[in-house]
Amino acid sequence: MIEMLEEHSRIMVVDVVFLYRKAACKNKSEAFERGREQQQRAEREYQAYMQGADFHETPSRWVSLADVKEDLHHFFNNMRNKRSLFSKEKFIDYFGRIEYSREAGYHVHVCFFYKGSKAQHDIFYSHEIGKYWEKITAGRGYYFSCNAKAAAGGYKNVGIGIVEHDDFDKIKHLWTAVDYFVKASQIVRVKQTGKEQMVLHGKRQKRQGEKPGRPRGAGLSGSEYQAKLREIFV
């Protein structure tokens, strides 16, 4: 991330959660029923644990991990064909992970990074990326825009949207979010393979040749700038 911030005077961060309609509640009544089922499942899991037995029970409404990976493979493989969102002129990279919860099963949380000089409308991009996910999954999937929630004041500490190279508070919040993705406690456990790493990331192309200059404030260039960033990223 240090190299990304060094190369660009500003970046645009789009934060989207990919979900599945199969796992979503249709109404309050269904939500209540699922809550009751979850309590009963937790009790069965506890009883199995007390008896020293393994407990593996997958609700039918969850999408399988294999299906999630197949959809993601389709999504990322087709990015090159969606130039309005992922052209080399403005798109930098992506980073995220496959997550898991007792309520929703498997879902995906991804941050997309753009050149702030080429793309500025983060909420628009978040919705367009979400719609592309819905298209890729043929309507089986839907999305949640963290950028839209942030714009509505839904988060206390915001590290998404437009991030200036010298906005160290916002960079710190962004790094906290990225760091969350790779915490050992967030690694999904899969029975067949034990502990499986579920982090997603692209292959950012480094700039060739000499980097163009840009205005920097006093103490915000070269090794001094790197040192300031490393204080955040440690």
Side-chain angles (χ1 to χ4, degrees), residues 30-49:
E30 185 173 342
F32 178 82
E33 179 62 23
R34 289 193 183 184
R36 187 180 64 84
E37 291 175 357
Q38 182 182 342
Q39 289 179 334
Q40 293 175 345
R41 189 168 63 253
E43 177 63 22
R44 291 193 293 272
E45 182 176 9
Y46 172 74
Q47 292 298 333
Y49 173 80

Side-chain angles (χ1 to χ4, degrees), residues 3 21 40 44 79 123 174 219:
E3 290 183 353
R21 300 186 191 281
Q40 293 175 345
R44 291 193 293 272
M79 287 173 66
I123 297 176
L174 171 60

Side-chain angles (χ1 to χ4, degrees), residues 192-206:
Q192 291 84 349
T193 59
K195 184 179 287 188
E196 182 175 340
Q197 180 61 264
M198 307 299 280
V199 171
L200 311 168
H201 59 85
K203 297 180 180 179
R204 185 173 68 89
Q205 298 295 323
K206 293 185 178 181

Side-chain angles (χ1 to χ4, degrees), residues 8 81 109 144 204 230:
H8 306 282
N81 298 322
H109 194 164
F144 176 79
R204 185 173 68 89
R230 288 195 176 93

Side-chain angles (χ1 to χ4, degrees), residues 62-116:
W62 287 356
V63 177
S64 71
L65 180 58
D67 286 343
V68 174
K69 286 188 171 183
E70 184 177 349
D71 287 336
L72 287 174
H73 180 75
H74 188 191
F75 181 94
F76 292 125
N77 267 10
N78 282 271
M79 287 173 66
R80 67 176 70 91
N81 298 322
K82 192 67 174 177
R83 290 187 53 80
S84 61
L85 292 176
F86 304 115
S87 68
K88 292 182 179 180
E89 290 73 24
K90 57 186 175 182
F91 180 65
I92 302 174
D93 206 352
Y94 66 87
F95 188 84
R97 66 170 301 104
I98 299 174
E99 297 180 337
Y100 166 89
S101 72
R102 288 181 178 270
E103 296 80 10
Y106 295 111
H107 54 283
V108 188
H109 194 164
V110 192
C111 282
F112 298 87
F113 299 91
Y114 289 85
K115 302 172 185 178

